[in-house]
């Protein structure tokens, strides 16, 4: 089985590691296909493939060929190669939802898993915006 793994960049804790390992143990893939440059779930997928000595196929966003839509084309290339896909989503990421929509259109078999933030390890502090009330009195 060729397994594609997609997911939110904001999820990078032990829950994701455990989940991917459980899926590897369950599905016993011959290869894992994922994004070559993104962090979070995809980064953990790359590490788990190496740790389990599973062939790793990486797809990268092609900036030269597809300036607009480069991430969509990367997702399509990943999905073309897989027999089953896993989506690990933070419930907010639009990118992961777009990838899921593409998989549905392509009629790929998949599993969708939603993980909520549960501790500081899940938060990307650089992306948080704080708006403090200003007292103008």
């Amino acid at each position: 089985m060729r397994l594609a793994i997609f997911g939110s960049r904001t999820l990078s804790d032990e829950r994701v590691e455990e989940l991917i390992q459980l899926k590897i143990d369950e599905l016993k893939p011959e290869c894992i296909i994922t994004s070559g440059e993104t962090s979070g779930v995809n980064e953990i997928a790359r590490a788990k493939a190496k740790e389990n000595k599973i062939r790793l196929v990486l797809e990268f966003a092609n900036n030269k060929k597809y300036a607009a839509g480069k991430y969509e084309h990367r997702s399509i290339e990943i999905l073309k190669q897989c027999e089953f896909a896993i989506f690990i989503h933070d419930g907010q990421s639009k990118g992961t939802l777009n990838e899921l929509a593409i998989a549905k259109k392509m009629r790929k078999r998949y599993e969708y898993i939603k993980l909520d933030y549960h501790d500081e390890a899940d938060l990307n502090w650089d992306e948080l915006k704080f708006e403090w009330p200003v007292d103008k009195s």
Side-chain angles (χ1 to χ4, degrees), residues 28-81:
K28 301 185 182 351
E30 66 189 53
C31 78
I32 291 176
I33 310 156
T34 194
S35 162
E37 71 271 83
T38 50
S39 58
V41 170
N42 301 80
E43 185 175 18
I44 293 171
R46 294 190 299 268
K48 284 294 182 182
K50 292 175 187 173
E51 179 184 310
N52 287 275
K53 296 178 176 42
I54 299 170
R55 186 167 62 96
L56 180 61
V57 177
L58 301 176
E59 290 293 333
F60 294 86
N62 187 332
N63 294 325
K64 294 179 182 177
K65 190 172 181 182
Y66 306 107
K70 61 187 172 188
Y71 302 114
E72 180 179 353
H73 286 281
R74 178 188 62 204
S75 300
I76 291 168
E77 286 305 312
I78 292 169
L79 288 163
K80 280 182 185 177
Q81 299 175 62

